[in-house]
Amino acid sequence: MIPKTRIILFTGKGGVGKTTISAATALRAAEMGYKTLVISTDPAHSLADALDCQIGPEPTKLRPNLYAQELDVYYSIKKYWGNMREVIMSFVKWQGVERVIAEEMAILPGMEETSAFMWLEHFYQSGEYDLIIVDSAPTGETLKHLTLPQVSQWWVTRGQQVPLKNWTRKGLGTMVQLATGVPLNEGLAELQLFYNKLQSAQKIMSNSDICTIRIVLNPERMVIQEALRAYTYLQLYGYPVDSIIVNRILPEDSGQAVFGEYLEAQKGYLNDIDHKFEPLPIFRVPHSGREVFGLDRLRDIAEQVYAEQDPRQIFFNEKPYQFVEQTHGYLLMVRLPSLQDEEVSVTQREDELIIQAKQRRHNLFLPRFLTYYHVTNSQMVDGQLLVRFEKKYDH
């Protein structure tokens, strides 16, 4: 059963056409009767160009059931973190920094990415839309965005937050209030809300019954490799991927004289995609031979992608993590396609399982009962990381 509000996030290497696919999907869903919002979180916004209309930092109605929004970090910060920003800016100015520079420095690292989570969490909780589509930043940035809730969870649970609460003990709280007119506790309350919202958003985004990710790629070697890495790391962080969309496939009759070598390579790449991303559904979209912008052309793209299928449906729903009870303990299975045994290491630290996959690291918080068990073995088998836990015995 599809929930009241579905979230679909599109990602892919820059230039593969994910904005076009996002906009086309939103249009198809809206014309099927779903109240749909498409949000661009890419700092280099091109959603307005694809839809061929003006879009603001709040949802803009374009036609019946279709709304669009391009996130603006300054607008979002003013909306969500006004008090916290004033507190930060007052300290920066207190150090002798000019106001213009202080304004910029008051935008903490991660705020731009985090604003997307805040909006998503808000729209999901409101239940205002049947479908929320996220036209995200290129894959590298998307992975950074999606790991923010994981990072914040680690800091919160380990008590390593920025020691703002100690400021009041040092008499700085009064100074802040005099300088900004904002009580320090209000700024701290926004910081706590920030963490709470991130955790709520992470639970929503990692629930495969609510949110799925679709990876857009082109049949080219470097693009496929990046998409495969993205798929692997999305699985590592517990985010469900329900399909692959191969965009801009040149027709075989494109002209051997000009595209002969490319067409031959394309055949091999399409076979690689079918094999390497199995068992995910794969949608193929031929090159349109023209720029794609405006609703009429987007409608054509949507027809190429989905044909008669409902774009809101979940095309593949297999949980990235599975715990299986065994005779002497439990087996944790994590899908990590494309990785070899020597590229993955596992370390257990109390209620954490630290998975190192090449240059990526993930702190997986284990169910509490597993603190009574310890890792006895881990290995990669057919694209899955198998971690065995056995019960601890006192000696």
Side-chain angles (χ1 to χ4, degrees):
M1 180 179 176
I2 298 178
K4 170 64 174 74
T5 301
R6 266 277 279 139
I7 299 173
I8 302 172
L9 185 147
F10 288 89
T11 190
K13 185 177 173 63
V16 298
K18 60 181 177 53
T19 297
T20 299
I21 301 298
S22 300
T25 302
L27 178 61
R28 165 60 70 90
E31 292 185 339
M32 293 182 69
Y34 299 118
K35 188 175 181 181
T36 303
L37 171 65
V38 55
I39 306 174
S40 172
T41 64
D42 190 340
H45 294 302
S46 56
L47 182 60
D49 296 327
L51 292 165
D52 197 22
C53 62
Q54 294 294 317
I55 300 173
E58 293 274 357
T60 303
K61 185 173 183 178
L62 306 181
R63 59 183 297 135
N65 292 321
L66 181 60
Y67 298 76
Q69 178 183 15
E70 289 186 334
L71 296 190
D72 181 319
V73 62
Y74 292 98
Y75 182 89
S76 298
I77 289 172
K78 184 177 180 181
K79 184 180 180 75
Y80 287 112
W81 303 308
N83 291 331
M84 189 63 208
R85 179 175 170 277
E86 288 296 327
V87 170
I88 295 169
M89 195 165 66
S90 71
F91 276 101
V92 175
K93 288 172 64 181
W94 186 51
Q95 297 297 320
V97 177
E98 294 181 5
R99 179 177 177 83
V100 173
I101 300 175
E103 291 268 7
E104 289 293 320
M105 293 180 69
I107 301 176
L108 293 176
M111 273 190 171
E112 187 166 8
E113 297 90 341
T114 305
S115 65
F117 284 103
M118 303 292 274
W119 284 101
L120 276 174
E121 202 271 345
H122 167 72
F123 289 134
Y124 178 80
Q125 298 296 351
S126 73
E128 184 177 353
Y129 298 97
D130 300 311
L131 175 62
I132 301 171
I133 291 174
V134 182
D135 171 32
S136 72
T139 44
E141 289 298 305
T142 299
L143 290 171
K144 184 173 72 173
H145 296 183
L146 292 175
T147 58
L148 275 171
Q150 306 273 5
V151 174
S152 71
Q153 182 186 23
W154 191 91
W155 281 97
V156 171
T157 56
R158 294 294 175 260
Q160 300 294 326
Q161 298 156 296
V162 178
L164 293 174
K165 293 180 180 178
N166 292 330
W167 293 353
T168 54
R169 300 194 192 110
K170 299 178 181 179
L172 296 179
T174 302
M175 184 208 72
V176 171
Q177 185 165 350
L178 290 173
T180 66
V182 178
L184 182 60
N185 64 339
E186 290 186 15
L188 294 174
E190 285 190 358
L191 180 61
Q192 186 60 53
L193 179 64
F194 160 83
Y195 284 120
N196 293 344
K197 291 285 187 181
L198 273 183
Q199 297 312 310
S200 175
Q202 195 272 336
K203 290 178 182 178
I204 293 168
M205 296 289 287
S206 60
N207 184 337
S208 60
D209 292 328
I210 298 170
C211 176
T212 53
I213 296 173
R214 295 177 186 171
I215 300 175
V216 182
L217 55 85
N218 301 145
E220 299 173 4
R221 183 175 179 274
M222 291 181 64
V223 178
I224 294 170
Q225 290 302 316
E226 180 163 331
L228 196 60
R229 283 193 294 271
Y231 178 41
T232 297
Y233 294 133
L234 288 168
Q235 295 293 292
L236 174 64
Y237 288 107
Y239 293 105
V241 177
D242 81 338
S243 61
I244 302 294
I245 299 175
V246 188
N247 192 29
R248 297 178 184 152
I249 301 173
L250 284 181
E252 292 186 10
D253 59 357
S254 297
Q256 287 293 327
V258 178
F259 297 107
E261 184 178 341
Y262 185 92
L263 289 169
E264 190 61 33
Q266 180 179 264
K267 288 181 184 178
Y269 292 142
L270 290 173
N271 288 332
D272 284 347
I273 291 168
D274 288 340
H275 173 70
K276 291 180 177 178
F277 289 98
E278 187 181 9
L280 288 176
I282 297 173
F283 298 95
R284 297 187 176 191
V285 186
H287 200 297
S288 63
R290 59 182 180 176
E291 287 186 277
V292 180
F293 59 87
L295 301 186
D296 289 338
R297 295 185 181 185
L298 290 173
R299 192 175 291 109
D300 292 340
I301 292 294
E303 179 64 28
Q304 296 283 357
V305 178
Y306 300 107
E308 300 301 318
Q309 297 186 84
D310 185 341
R312 189 171 175 267
Q313 75 181 76
I314 299 170
F315 293 111
F316 183 80
N317 193 353
E318 182 179 302
K319 296 187 182 302
Y321 299 111
Q322 293 185 58
F323 281 100
V324 178
E325 186 176 3
Q326 297 187 316
T327 304
H328 300 291
Y330 290 87
L331 177 67
L332 168 63
M333 298 183 291
V334 185
R335 281 185 54 79
L336 297 178
S338 81
L339 292 178
Q340 304 301 315
D341 198 47
E342 63 273 12
E343 297 174 320
V344 181
S345 64
V346 174
T347 306
Q348 184 181 10
R349 186 178 299 160
E350 297 179 352
D351 62 341
E352 284 182 82
L353 191 70
I354 304 168
I355 303 173
Q356 185 77 39
K358 288 187 175 179
Q359 72 271 31
R360 294 279 179 176
R361 181 178 181 179
H362 175 51
N363 296 62
L364 174 64
F365 287 80
L366 299 169
R368 287 187 177 181
F369 71 86
L370 281 180
T371 58
Y372 298 98
Y373 296 76
H374 67 283
V375 174
T376 58
N377 177 262
S378 65
Q379 62 183 122
M380 290 294 301
V381 178
D382 296 330
Q384 280 199 325
L385 172 63
L386 305 181
V387 184
R388 291 179 172 81
F389 293 84
E390 293 187 7
K391 196 158 190 178
K392 299 175 182 177
Y393 293 99
D394 296 327
H395 297 288

